[in-house]
Structure formats: C-alpha cells, structure tokens
Amino acid sequence: MSLFTVSDACNGCGLCVAACPASLVRQAEPGARPEPLAGREAHCILCGHCVIACPTGAFVHELLPAKDFEPIDRKRLPEFDAVRHLLRSRRSCRTFDPTSVPREELLRLVEAVRHAPTGHNARQVGYVIVDGPARMDVARQGVLDWMEMEVAAKSARAAELHLGGAARAAAKGKDVIFRGAPHVAVVHAPDTGITPALDAAIAGAWLEIVAAAAGYGACWCGYLVFALDAHPPLGTLLGVPEGHKGYAALLLGRRAARPLAIPPRDMPPVTFF
C-alpha cells in the first residue's frame, strides 16, 4: 500500500515535502507531483503535517482519513493578550473544595490536551486519575509509607525534602500531601521511551493551563512524583501500566477561593546569541 496519494488538484508547490519531518515525501523536481519514498512507510510518525500543509487538498494520507481532520477556526483563536493574561493569572491551588469533579469534566480536560507535543510524535503519554475521597486516602497512605521508609533510612532525600516534618504534620491530620484536593492526575509514559519525562511534563503543564481556563484549581504534587520514582509498588497500586512510570502529578479540583490579583514576578534573564 502506498503511504499517500496526490490528486490532480496538486499544484506542485512542494509544501508537503518540506513539512514531512521524516523526509518520506519526495519531489523529483520543482513543480512535480510528490511521491512517497518507497519501502519507508513504517518510518511515518503519523503527524499529519503533510496533509495540512497542502493548500489545494490534493494530499491524501492512507493512514489518516480526511474525516478525522478538524478545520482550524481562526476566529476562535485567542489573541496574544488573552493568552498572556491566562498564563499570568494561573496560580497553584492549595485550598480545594473537597467535592469531586464529575468524570466527564475530568475527561474533557484530558481530551483538550491530547495534542500536547511528544518526542518523535510518539504519543505514549497516559493518565491515571485518582477519583474520590476513598481512593485519595489510599494514594495518600502510599505516599506516607514512602515518607516513613525514607525517614527511617535517614536518607539524603528525607533530609532534603524535610520528610520527617511532613510525616509528623500528616499524622496530626494536616493534608500536606494532597492539600484536600478531590483528585490527583498522574501523567505516565514508557520508562524506556524517547523523551518520557519531558513528554509527561509538557502534558501536565498543558493540563494545568486547561484546568485554569475551565475554572478549576491545580497544583503540582511533588511528594507523589518523588514517591512514584523511589517506590515503584505505589505506581502499581495506583494503576500505572507495567513498563510505564509516573513522571508528573497534578492535584485537581474546584478552588475553595479564587485569586483576585496577579503577584509580581521578575523578568527572567534573556540572552541572544
């Protein structure tokens, strides 16, 4: 099977050739109709850039049906100032309304970030969402068990993260781990992937921004990420697939109180080469 076909509507512009990151689209000469590189079909990363680059709609990818492509409505795209304000107004939430968020809402957030970039377009990121008070208690106890092991071993990590104090606060009923959030989303990826940690971090960052846009609170959960890294049975307990690792974790829920202003932040250093 040929990887793609090109109809008579092709104008020979070569934009599909330039767009293919794997160089699988070839043009014998300027203006000629593009052809697939024979025998290299398996190298296609299914990004779809060849299709969306074609200005005449002549390019048809055999593995990416035209019906699955969604047109871009440029009238709905936010302007720079709106995106800038959203990013600046985002704040880590540490006081949550304990009420659970409906699953369909959580799935809506994840669906919104499924286009987050991944290395080599591998798209192997997945999510485990701890859902509701009982499951959050199980996850919380798993993190506490890890903390107690680190403290008992007098590890460098225990000293670095002040785990002894965190464990004591938790024993007194203060939720220093999940901050009262009704959910935590663990972003996982294959532990032998191309860029798994970076892929998960990007997906988590996108999820945080989407949650802010939808009116929900979010906060990165460092204790859970450290526990997942140091104590693999916790990942198994939470349902992280075998061969995958939880690289990022985000608390999610409704805010108990909304921020009313944007605190100041210094401009980071920028150099030009």
Side-chain angles (χ1 to χ4, degrees):
M1 181 185 71
S2 178
L3 186 61
F4 61 82
T5 57
V6 179
S7 74
D8 292 339
C10 175
N11 63 10
C13 66
L15 290 176
C16 57
V17 179
C20 179
S23 299
L24 302 180
V25 186
R26 297 299 178 89
Q27 201 172 21
E29 60 184 20
R33 185 177 298 189
E35 297 179 349
L37 180 61
R40 298 289 296 276
E41 291 83 4
H43 292 260
C44 177
I45 63 173
L46 303 177
C47 65
H49 289 183
C50 51
V51 178
I52 62 176
C54 181
T56 64
F59 198 103
V60 179
H61 197 297
E62 294 302 321
L63 301 178
L64 298 170
K67 65 180 179 59
D68 292 342
F69 285 78
E70 179 182 353
I72 296 176
D73 184 353
R74 301 198 180 279
K75 293 180 179 179
R76 296 174 59 190
L77 296 178
E79 295 184 356
F80 173 82
D81 285 344
V83 176
R84 177 178 179 271
H85 191 71
L86 172 63
L87 294 174
R88 284 161 51 88
S89 63
R90 177 222 63 86
R91 299 264 69 82
S92 295
C93 178
R94 295 183 178 86
T95 52
F96 287 90
D97 180 327
T99 307
S100 295
V101 176
R103 286 190 176 185
E104 56 269 25
E105 275 294 291
L106 297 171
L107 290 173
R108 187 170 74 103
L109 299 180
V110 173
E111 188 279 332
V113 302
R114 60 182 168 146
H115 285 263
T118 57
H120 208 67
N121 197 39
R123 291 179 286 170
Q124 294 176 309
V125 168
Y127 302 81
V128 170
I129 300 178
V130 182
D131 190 15
R135 293 297 183 183
M136 288 293 281
D137 286 344
V138 171
R140 185 182 295 104
Q141 187 58 52
V143 177
L144 284 172
D145 291 344
W146 162 74
M147 284 184 172
E148 290 169 0
M149 287 189 291
E150 295 281 358
V151 172
K154 298 181 179 180
S155 68
R157 177 54 58 88
E160 178 186 21
L161 298 178
H162 309 290
L163 296 183
R168 288 191 295 272
K172 295 177 181 179
K174 185 175 181 179
D175 188 8
V176 296
I177 298 173
F178 293 153
R179 306 288 180 176
H183 309 280
V184 60
V186 176
V187 190
H188 60 81
D191 53 12
T192 57
I194 297 173
T195 53
L198 184 57
D199 294 348
I202 293 172
W206 277 40
L207 184 60
E208 183 185 19
I209 295 302
V210 165
Y216 294 107
C219 185
W220 292 83
C221 187
Y223 283 139
L224 179 54
V225 172
F226 291 132
L228 288 167
D229 180 55
H231 190 51
L234 178 57
T236 302
L237 174 68
L238 298 184
V240 174
E242 184 177 356
H244 280 222
K245 182 177 176 180
Y247 288 100
L250 207 64
L251 302 173
L252 291 170
R254 297 180 180 84
R255 290 180 174 274
R258 291 187 178 276
L260 301 178
I262 299 171
R265 296 289 186 269
D266 294 335
M267 179 70 178
V270 179
T271 59
F272 292 92
F273 176 72

